[in-house]
Amino acid sequence: MTAARIDGKAIATALKLRIANDVGTFQLQHGRPPGLVVVLVGQDPASEVYVRAKAKQARATGLQSRQLVLPTETSEMRLVEIIESLNRDTSIDGILLQLPLPAHINPFRVLETIDPAKDVDGFHPYNVGRLAVGQPAIAPCTPLGVLHLIKHVVHALAGLDVLVIGRSNIVGKPLGTLLGDAGCTVTGAQLQTRNLSDICRRADIVVSAAGSPGLVRGDWVKPGAIVIDVGINRVDDGHGGYSLVGDVAFDEASERASHITPVPGGVGPMTIAYLLMNTMSAAWSRATLRGSPAGVNQFQLKTLGRLSGTARSS
Ligand code: GUN
């Protein structure tokens, strides 16, 4: 079997067209575009690339997008003050604090100061907790993007065995919650998990977010499984540069899987599309429902319903 490639770039482009349309409607109704600010502290090269890409695509979708680049020495107290002023700025609907932060800043302390209604990363404990107990919440962008890709290729998720490798706060843990809510039997694993290859061979869907190049080998994949690669690993290309590779041995896994995401061009574009989606829906909820998380979720269901042609308005 040769797996079909799941084209995250094309799927994200379709989603961004919908979001751009919604941005236009919001602008007409409220006299301003939704506003996103991306805050970067320090000079982590990978973060600089991500932040530029996020800001550029936000502008291309019609959002008002600002980048705030702060020096590495910025104190935690100063960063908190800046976030508090962004919380008060009514033209800003989404605040994204790019991680990792310099070592002298406690990320949890700062993330807790973001207004939960503007927490478009879904990292504030309020949103994390609501997601965990099955209440409407702003959910993190990468897990939402992964779920979207999975739903693109399989419509009945209930009862499927899913293996999620990696238990980060950004991907593995929230993704396990979302998949469990969709009726999947979710196994959460990590690099230390014993017999990982055997567990993987039982999975109908494998999601790897472990940050370990080539971890998932072809013979780990159950024939016909769906493989989603969240890994973005920089490896030496032998010519003084680097190339980006995922966690999955792509060519080997493609011989057994039914569907597989490439790296790059799989999950990455979906993460940014969902950042724009979260910002758009946070704006809508803030403008009409005092920032209620239920408003955010209703809005997203409407956009997604129109995308798949099965309007599930609620
Ligand atoms: N660093 C790596 N991924 C992310 C992300 O999704 N959001 C933020 N804020 N920082 C990150």
Side-chain angles (χ1 to χ4, degrees):
M1 175 180 296
T2 302
R5 229 171 227 255
I6 305 175
D7 187 347
K9 205 167 165 211
I11 297 167
T13 298
L15 183 53
K16 283 188 289 184
L17 279 175
R18 287 285 176 199
I19 298 167
N21 190 45
D22 293 334
V23 166
T25 306
F26 182 90
Q27 163 107 42
L28 277 178
Q29 287 180 358
H30 300 286
R32 66 168 184 92
L36 169 68
V37 61
V38 180
V39 182
L40 173 64
V41 188
Q43 294 175 322
D44 179 63
S47 292
E48 283 174 347
V49 172
Y50 293 142
V51 162
R52 263 201 304 275
K54 288 169 183 175
K56 187 173 159 206
Q57 292 191 38
R59 275 193 294 277
T61 311
L63 299 167
Q64 170 137 59
S65 157
R66 254 170 66 195
Q67 273 181 79
L68 211 55
V69 181
L70 303 171
T72 311
E73 321 72 74
T74 306
S75 69
E76 186 176 294
M77 197 193 283
R78 178 71 193 125
L79 183 57
V80 166
E81 282 168 5
I82 290 169
I83 302 259
E84 284 170 348
S85 76
L86 297 172
N87 284 344
R88 287 190 296 271
D89 185 334
T90 52
S91 71
I92 290 172
D93 302 288
I95 302 169
L96 182 145
L97 177 63
Q98 185 68 26
L99 303 176
L101 292 170
H104 65 277
I105 301 178
N106 179 338
F108 296 103
R109 209 169 293 150
V110 183
L111 287 170
E112 281 191 23
T113 65
I114 296 177
D115 177 349
K118 297 188 177 188
D119 170 38
V120 287
D121 251 331
F123 293 169
H124 189 288
Y126 175 82
N127 283 310
V128 174
R130 288 184 63 99
L131 183 70
V133 295
Q135 289 300 294
I138 305 183
C141 307
T142 302
L144 287 174
V146 168
L147 191 62
H148 189 114
L149 292 179
I150 292 172
K151 286 183 174 171
H152 189 80
V153 292
V154 56
H155 300 294
L157 281 177
L160 294 182
D161 283 320
V162 185
L163 172 64
V164 179
I165 311 174
R167 55 185 303 280
S168 68
N169 293 331
I170 296 181
V171 185
K173 287 182 204 164
L175 180 59
T177 303
L178 290 170
L179 288 165
D181 290 348
C184 298
T185 304
V186 183
T187 303
Q190 48 196 309
L191 289 175
Q192 299 91 326
T193 298
R194 279 180 288 150
N195 304 323
L196 185 53
S197 54
D198 292 335
I199 297 170
C200 192
R201 280 185 204 103
R202 293 199 290 270
D204 302 306
I205 301 174
V206 182
V207 182
S208 187
S212 177
L215 170 72
V216 177
R217 308 303 306 244
D219 66 353
W220 291 26
V221 175
K222 173 168 148 176
I226 296 165
V227 177
I228 308 286
D229 193 347
V230 185
I232 303 181
N233 308 293
R234 284 179 178 223
V235 296
D236 196 338
D237 66 3
H239 305 288
Y242 67 87
S243 56
L244 289 181
V245 300
D247 287 355
V248 177
F250 183 85
D251 292 342
E252 289 176 21
S254 292
E255 300 202 352
R256 307 246 301 203
S258 65
H259 297 82
I260 188 167
T261 58
V263 175
V267 174
M270 295 302 292
T271 296
I272 299 188
Y274 267 93
L275 170 64
L276 309 181
M277 171 79 121
N278 276 353
T279 305
M280 177 63 252
S281 34
W284 186 80
S285 181
R286 278 177 16 81
T288 59
L289 290 165
R290 299 196 316 275
S292 142
V296 171
N297 283 27
Q298 275 173 30
F299 182 82
Q300 299 205 348
L301 284 175
K302 257 190 224 157
T303 302
L304 294 170
R306 282 190 284 124
L307 190 70
S308 64
T310 53
R312 288 170 291 175
S313 58
S314 53

